Amino acid sequence: VNSEKFLKEIKRLKPDLIVVGSWGELFKDEILNTIPCVNFHPALLPKNRGANPYFWVIYQNQSVTGLTVHFMDKKFDRGDIIAQVAITIDENETGTTLKNKTCALAKVMIAEVLDLFDKGQIQPIVQNEEFATYERQLTFRETIINLTKSKTDVDRHLRALTPWAKPVVKIAHRYVEFLNYDFMEVDENTLNKKPYDVIEHNSKYFILKGSDFLIKIYK
């Protein structure tokens, strides 16, 4: 975005406004100081700044997230807020369904923001740093499923990862990546088994003991 080619194209177009979504680069002052730039961030800023809020809000068991339109400045997700709308996180929400809901809302909000901009009616609000949180990029650590946690926690973790990364679980001394899985009930034969114990396995799947559940993961 800060290449000479991009800057020349911006100067040629002479836009009234630049609208950004799902972008991972900071704009240089040459653009920010001459053209208003707004970003659509899928969270209720100043909470959940940074990377992939879709994952983090589900993983952190938040009940509400949202979409924030804000002016861009020299730091990610810290510019003055133009508009915000809350989104309820359903109990079976996945990263996919949450992104779809957020994108549908963005289609409505973009028209409203452009109308406010055209009428000169934007009244930006400074973000309150007291409530700011920042989320990092997903790493391998976030993909590891902890079978000592409750079924509720494991289920939420798996839903949060969808579709951003494949979950992995440690079996013996190696990590096994999987995508499809089923939860199963503990019975009298598996009640006293420990988390990570292999209950059954073949060429197609593993069945592993969790804290209060069994999970069948498909290879």
Side-chain angles (χ1 to χ4, degrees), residues 66-77:
L67 181 60
T68 301
V69 187
H70 66 96
F71 281 111
M72 296 171 64
D73 60 16
K74 296 179 181 180
K75 296 182 179 180
F76 282 119
D77 306 326

Side-chain angles (χ1 to χ4, degrees), residues 105-156:
L105 179 58
K107 292 178 181 180
V108 176
M109 288 183 69
I110 183 65
E112 295 175 350
V113 169
L114 291 176
D115 186 53
L116 288 173
F117 183 83
D118 189 51
K119 294 176 180 178
Q121 296 178 348
I122 289 178
Q123 297 180 325
I125 299 172
V126 177
Q127 294 191 39
N128 188 338
E129 293 299 315
E130 181 180 349
F131 300 105
T133 61
Y134 193 89
E135 313 302 351
R136 64 182 183 275
Q137 292 281 359
L138 269 65
T139 66
F140 180 72
R141 177 173 58 180
E142 280 73 51
T143 68
I144 301 172
I145 304 302
N146 184 350
L147 297 184
T148 67
K149 291 189 174 183
S150 70
K151 177 184 174 182
T152 299
D153 289 338
V154 170
D155 176 59
R156 184 171 58 249

Side-chain angles (χ1 to χ4, degrees), residues 53-109:
Y54 301 118
F55 167 82
W56 289 106
V57 296
I58 297 174
Y59 181 72
Q60 295 168 357
N61 199 25
Q62 297 181 29
S63 58
V64 177
T65 184
L67 181 60
T68 301
V69 187
H70 66 96
F71 281 111
M72 296 171 64
D73 60 16
K74 296 179 181 180
K75 296 182 179 180
F76 282 119
D77 306 326
R78 298 197 181 191
D80 293 352
I81 293 171
I82 298 168
Q84 282 186 316
V85 177
I87 298 173
T88 299
I89 301 174
D90 297 331
E91 62 178 11
N92 294 316
E93 201 82 73
T94 68
T96 299
T97 60
L98 184 56
K99 181 181 179 182
N100 289 343
K101 287 162 66 171
T102 307
C103 289
L105 179 58
K107 292 178 181 180
V108 176
M109 288 183 69

Side-chain angles (χ1 to χ4, degrees), residues 11-35:
K11 291 176 181 178
R12 184 187 71 82
L13 292 171
K14 298 179 181 178
D16 298 307
L17 180 71
I18 294 176
V19 179
V20 175
S22 298
W23 196 258
E25 295 179 76
L26 290 172
F27 281 37
K28 285 184 177 179
D29 289 347
E30 188 172 353
I31 296 177
L32 293 175
N33 293 340
T34 56
I35 304 167

